[in-house]
């Protein structure tokens, strides 16, 4: 619903947001539904508000579709982590998941494809889910994301983890 999205963008800006991105689940849903036009409409609306506009996603197909369509996003947020962790998805769990709570461990189903494609994109890329919901130690997760092309990382953490995580990220 465009009214809801416009209201959400306006609220974010009222609270001080300096950039706005399309939530990953929504970006992926619209891409899978063949509604890239809705992504473009969102990006254009945000840009008219005078702030950078981005698209987040779990599926690498979303930035591929956005780039192919020539939509002028300012940045991407893309999930990024290795598949080397204790609760990694099994081969039979290969169906894309849009609902955050329907199944575990779908953060980045195609890390090698993410690395290859995002390495060609000339826009800033913020990697998220780099710790696979806490299954990957920050030292490994940060290293993997930054060595494989991420410009920034968006990382959830508790207050007692901030000092160590910032130190690890700086290194």
């Amino acid at each position: 619903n465009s009214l809801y999205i416009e209201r959400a963008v306006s609220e974010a800006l009222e609270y001080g947001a300096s950039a706005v991105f399309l939530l990953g689940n929504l970006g992926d849903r619209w891409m899978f539904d063949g509604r890239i036009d809705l992504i473009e409409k969102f990006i254009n609306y945000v840009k008219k508000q005078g702030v950078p506009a981005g698209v987040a996603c779990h599926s690498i197909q979303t930035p591929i579709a956005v780039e192919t369509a020539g939509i002028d996003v300012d940045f991407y947020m893309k999930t990024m982590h290795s598949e080397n962790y204790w609760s990694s998805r099994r081969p039979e769990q290969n169906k894309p998941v849009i609902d955050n709570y329907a199944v575990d461990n779908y953060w980045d189903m195609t890390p090698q494809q993410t690395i290859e494609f995002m390495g060609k994109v000339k826009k800033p890329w913020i990697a998220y889910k780099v710790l696979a919901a806490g299954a990957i130690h920050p030292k490994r997760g940060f290293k993997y994301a930054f060595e494989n092309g991420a410009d920034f990382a968006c990382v959830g953490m508790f207050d007692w983890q901030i000092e160590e995580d910032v130190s690890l990220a700086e290194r």
Side-chain angles (χ1 to χ4, degrees), residues 37-52:
D37 61 304
L38 294 176
I39 296 175
E40 184 169 34
K41 184 177 178 181
F42 174 86
I43 294 299
N44 291 339
Y45 178 76
V46 171
K47 285 184 170 228
K48 284 180 185 171
Q49 309 315 303
V51 296

Side-chain angles (χ1 to χ4, degrees), residues 2 24 31 55 57 59 69 71 128 152-153 159:
S2 64
M31 183 277 305
V55 172
C57 57
S59 173
I71 300 170
Y128 72 109
F152 304 95
D159 58 352

Side-chain angles (χ1 to χ4, degrees), residues 86-157:
W86 68 272
S87 60
S88 181
R89 290 175 62 87
R90 296 179 306 277
E92 70 272 12
Q93 293 176 306
N94 59 3
K95 184 178 176 193
V97 176
I98 300 302
D99 179 1
N100 271 346
Y101 306 103
V103 70
D104 194 13
N105 304 321
Y106 65 94
W107 320 120
D108 190 358
M109 293 174 60
T110 58
Q112 194 55 45
Q113 193 178 4
T114 295
I115 293 165
E116 290 167 9
F117 183 77
M118 295 307 289
K120 298 174 196 167
V121 174
K122 302 297 181 208
K123 295 173 181 134
W125 165 34
I126 303 166
Y128 72 109
K129 306 286 189 190
V130 299
L131 307 181
I136 298 174
H137 189 277
K139 185 175 184 179
R140 284 187 28 241
F142 297 163
K143 181 178 170 76
Y144 187 85
F146 292 129
E147 286 184 353
N148 286 296
D151 296 302
F152 304 95
C154 176
V155 183
M157 63 189 85

Side-chain angles (χ1 to χ4, degrees), residues 5 49 58 60 63 70 160 171:
I5 289 174
Q49 309 315 303
H58 295 92
I60 191 60
W160 51 269
R171 279 188 258 144

